[in-house]
Amino acid sequence: GAPPVRDKAKEEDAKFERSVAEFSFPDLQSWRSKKSPVWKIKAETYTFVLTESSGGRRWGYCQRVLTATYPKCFCIITSVPCFSIFSQLLSQIIELHKVTLGGFGACTYFLNAIYHKALPPPGEALKLAIPSFNNNAHHHHLLPHKADRPRAKTSQGTSYDDLKREQTISFIRPSEGDSLLDHVDFEPLIHYLSPATIVTLLTSLLLERRIIFVANTLSVLSSCIQAAVAMLYPFAWHHIYIPIMPPSLFSFCCAPMPFVVGLVRSCLPDLKRYADGMEEVVVIDINNNVVSRTD
């Protein structure tokens, strides 16, 4: 018979977690093959997009941080494109992680509090109380009202009663008309590409061509692709859109329909196996300001 609903839900959750891991570390295989030392791996901020079977999109806002042993990626997945809010939340989470000496208890507590906060209407603020530990403590936390405060201790053994209210932080949600452009930074695109290349890129987008972007880093790749697609405003790109593509999806580069995808340069060797199936593809090499086309 059909598998139980609970088992199917677990399978879907596991599949989703694998996808998030692939998009968060699309260059993982290149590290392993080259045995790159940790000091060569850069801390980065970048965004990826997950497209659901219904056509809906979910944004993954990522910050990669370095540790003494391996990089970590903090990622927020949301269906709301409000980079100004989620980037600040990410920064706060990473700060909590740092001051708790690598623990996740404070981060989890902070996220649980955010989860129960309703997203504010467009143009209004999301407000959160951010307190600090007393002077003898080593990390920051989110302080609920005393009646709601758990009696459990953090992973470092400090009681939540050691906390005190310190400040309220707020994040402004962009208006509906601006939210899709809220996360767009045009400066990297203008910095790396010449006016002639930008005109060629815009023409290719308007003609709904198949476009592959290549960059040295994930941060440059995602920011330039977002800016490029934003140039279409008030129009929008409704075709395949994968601003950061993991190697497991490279077959999409052989698709017969229009697409915009982004590849980090260290993964290019993995694309060679699909070269014969790529027809009339425009390749934008961001760092070298070069436009090329496949036959």
Side-chain angles (χ1 to χ4, degrees), residues 31-283:
W31 298 351
R32 290 175 175 172
S33 61
K34 296 178 181 178
K35 297 181 179 180
S36 300
V38 172
W39 58 266
K40 285 190 175 182
I41 301 170
K42 296 181 178 180
E44 296 192 73
T45 301
Y46 49 96
T47 306
F48 63 79
V49 175
L50 298 175
T51 303
E52 300 175 349
S53 57
S54 61
R57 291 174 178 171
R58 283 192 282 185
W59 280 259
Y61 299 113
C62 300
Q63 283 195 32
R64 180 184 291 176
V65 298
L66 305 183
T67 68
T69 53
Y70 55 86
K72 293 180 180 179
C73 182
F74 291 80
C75 181
I76 294 179
I77 305 294
T78 174
S79 58
V80 181
C82 290
F83 186 74
S84 60
I85 288 182
F86 294 114
S87 62
Q88 292 179 70
L89 292 179
L90 271 176
S91 297
Q92 184 65 44
I93 291 167
I94 292 172
E95 182 62 24
L96 286 172
H97 181 66
K98 288 180 180 178
V99 297
T100 54
L101 307 178
F104 288 100
C107 299
T108 301
Y109 196 74
F110 178 67
L111 288 171
N112 284 337
I114 295 173
Y115 182 77
H116 292 94
K117 282 274 189 178
L119 192 69
E124 296 189 12
L126 170 66
K127 296 183 179 181
L128 295 168
I130 302 295
S132 65
F133 280 94
N134 290 327
N135 293 334
N136 62 345
H138 299 288
H139 33 277
H140 297 266
H141 226 296
L142 182 73
L143 180 64
H145 293 293
K146 188 170 183 179
D148 299 326
R149 196 180 305 166
R151 295 181 180 178
K153 295 185 177 182
T154 67
S155 58
Q156 286 72 32
T158 304
S159 171
Y160 288 107
D161 289 332
D162 292 334
L163 301 172
K164 63 180 180 179
R165 188 177 300 278
E166 183 179 72
Q167 62 176 329
T168 299
I169 58 175
S170 62
F171 311 104
I172 304 297
R173 179 181 177 181
S175 64
E176 288 289 359
D178 297 334
S179 62
L180 290 177
L181 298 179
D182 170 61
H183 62 291
V184 177
D185 180 7
F186 288 94
E187 183 177 353
L189 187 74
I190 296 172
H191 173 76
Y192 285 101
L193 301 184
S194 66
T197 301
I198 293 176
V199 170
T200 300
L201 169 58
L202 180 58
T203 302
S204 299
L205 289 167
L206 291 172
L207 294 176
E208 299 183 325
R209 302 289 300 274
R210 305 179 188 95
I211 306 174
I212 297 176
F213 290 81
V214 179
N216 295 344
T217 62
L218 294 170
S219 56
V220 170
L221 184 65
S222 65
S223 60
C224 286
I225 292 180
Q226 291 163 12
V229 172
M231 290 193 301
L232 292 172
Y233 187 84
F235 303 108
W237 184 265
H238 293 290
H239 305 289
I240 296 173
Y241 180 62
I242 313 176
I244 291 181
M245 175 182 278
S248 62
L249 298 182
F250 278 5
S251 59
F252 276 90
C253 295
C254 302
M257 65 282 291
F259 59 72
V260 167
V261 302
L263 278 62
V264 66
R265 192 178 307 279
S266 61
C267 295
L268 277 182
D270 296 324
L271 186 64
K272 291 181 179 179
R273 72 183 70 175
Y274 302 100
D276 292 340
M278 295 165 51
E279 297 183 357
E280 298 182 355
V281 175
V282 177
V283 180

